[in-house]
Amino acid sequence: MSAPIQEELRDLVSNERDKEYVRIVQRITCSEQYCGRISQQDIIRAIQYLNNLPGGIERHREGAKLFGAVQHLLLMRDKGRLNVNGMPVEYSMEELQQILVEGIGYPVEDVRRIVEECVDKRGFHPSPEEFEEVHSTMKGNIVKLENEISAKDTQLQENVEEIRRKDIQLEEKTQIIQDKDRMLEEQEREKNRLLEEQEREIIRLLEKKEREKNRLLEEKEREKNRLLEEKEREKNRLLEGKEEKEREK
């Protein structure tokens, strides 16, 4: 490695080593799971690797990206796919399709989609092993999602059945209320009919009573007039008899 390149690498590492995303990866590599497997030099090479990707280090200052780059470098080193500068010799899309589609039988759509996602999220093509890990996770997520959807569909169906059952109960209660309302309406109509009939009967009886009263008054008046007439005739008859007696004298 030439002196200018070494100087550039020193400046890069000096600028990045105290940033939080680097500290996050350092804490991870010091954990029991990774202790002794990832060195400080591996982290430095990963910083250099991210800096060589499109957009430079400014675009990739994330703990997840740096840790992914460390793991990618170690995997590519184990496969002997590092160049003279210690950087990965990436798999091309053609190589990945040949290995994954033609060799293993993955759907070409899955290969293209996962490679595009890796480039978008990490900035580089995955190795076949990284692809299979992502694909397995993706399939696991799909199965998990399908199970969740199935469970939600079952719950939704149960909710629909419960709603249908409650709708039936509501319809039955509504029918009972409607029947009761109709019965009350019929009772009210019958009550009103009876009241109207009673009122008409009372009016009829009152009118009859009034007519009977008037008839009796008329009869009484006629009888009174008849008696007066008879009395008047008797009076006249007595007067005539008295006058006749006086004439006979």
Side-chain angles (χ1 to χ4, degrees):
M1 186 178 296
S2 64
I5 294 177
Q6 289 181 341
E7 183 67 26
E8 181 181 347
L9 177 58
R10 280 195 298 270
D11 291 341
L12 173 65
V13 173
S14 177
N15 290 333
E16 300 298 318
R17 65 186 177 187
D18 292 329
K19 289 184 167 47
E20 181 60 24
Y21 80 100
V22 177
R23 293 182 179 275
I24 291 173
V25 174
Q26 287 174 335
R27 287 196 293 270
I28 293 173
T29 58
C30 289
S31 66
E32 183 178 350
Q33 182 179 359
Y34 296 101
C35 185
R37 295 174 54 193
I38 300 175
S39 67
Q40 187 67 24
Q41 188 63 30
D42 293 327
I43 297 175
I44 292 173
R45 286 191 179 279
I47 293 173
Q48 182 184 6
Y49 175 55
L50 291 178
N51 189 56
N52 292 339
L53 296 176
I57 194 64
E58 292 81 3
R59 184 179 175 184
H60 303 289
R61 285 192 180 106
E62 297 177 20
K65 285 188 175 182
L66 179 58
F67 188 66
V70 171
Q71 291 182 308
H72 184 63
L73 279 166
L74 295 178
L75 178 63
M76 297 296 272
R77 182 177 64 191
D78 291 342
K79 295 174 69 67
R81 289 184 67 97
L82 297 181
N83 61 24
V84 293
N85 295 321
M87 295 293 105
V89 178
E90 303 291 4
Y91 286 90
S92 67
M93 179 64 81
E94 290 74 16
E95 286 181 294
L96 290 172
Q97 288 187 354
Q98 184 179 8
I99 296 170
L100 298 170
V101 178
E102 299 175 12
I104 301 177
Y106 283 105
V108 65
E109 295 81 6
D110 287 1
V111 173
R112 289 176 179 171
R113 182 170 64 254
I114 290 175
V115 170
E116 289 173 0
E117 287 180 1
C118 286
V119 171
D120 182 60
K121 293 179 180 179
R122 303 198 297 182
F124 53 83
H125 284 183
S127 67
E129 292 79 7
E130 289 169 323
F131 169 87
E132 289 185 318
E133 181 180 352
V134 174
H135 189 272
S136 176
T137 302
M138 180 186 72
K139 288 299 183 182
N141 290 338
I142 291 174
V143 171
K144 181 180 178 182
L145 181 60
E146 288 176 345
N147 290 337
E148 290 176 355
I149 292 173
S150 178
K152 289 182 179 179
D153 284 344
T154 301
Q155 184 63 45
L156 179 61
Q157 185 62 34
E158 291 175 356
N159 293 342
V160 169
E161 291 298 327
E162 179 67 15
I163 292 172
R164 184 178 294 111
R165 185 181 63 80
K166 289 183 178 180
D167 284 344
I168 292 173
Q169 291 178 346
L170 181 61
E171 289 176 1
E172 291 174 350
K173 290 181 181 179
T174 302
Q175 185 63 44
I176 291 173
I177 293 173
Q178 289 175 345
D179 292 341
K180 184 177 179 181
D181 288 342
R182 279 195 296 270
M183 183 180 68
L184 290 174
E185 289 174 0
E186 291 175 358
Q187 290 177 347
E188 185 68 19
R189 284 196 298 270
E190 182 65 15
K191 175 184 174 183
N192 291 336
R193 186 187 66 80
L194 293 174
L195 287 174
E196 289 175 358
E197 287 185 356
Q198 185 179 28
E199 185 176 359
R200 286 195 297 271
E201 182 64 16
I202 290 172
I203 293 172
R204 186 186 67 79
L205 292 173
L206 288 173
E207 290 176 347
K208 181 180 179 181
K209 183 177 180 181
E210 184 67 20
R211 286 194 301 272
E212 184 66 17
K213 175 185 174 183
N214 292 335
R215 185 185 66 78
L216 293 173
L217 287 173
E218 289 175 357
E219 288 183 355
K220 183 177 180 182
E221 184 67 21
R222 283 195 300 272
E223 182 65 19
K224 176 183 176 182
N225 291 336
R226 185 184 66 77
L227 293 173
L228 288 173
E229 288 175 356
E230 286 183 356
K231 184 177 180 182
E232 185 66 24
R233 282 195 299 273
E234 182 63 20
K235 178 181 176 182
N236 291 335
R237 186 181 64 77
L238 292 174
L239 287 173
E240 288 176 354
K242 184 179 178 182
E243 288 176 355
E244 184 176 349
K245 288 179 179 180
E246 288 179 353
R247 282 194 302 270
E248 288 178 352
K249 291 180 179 182

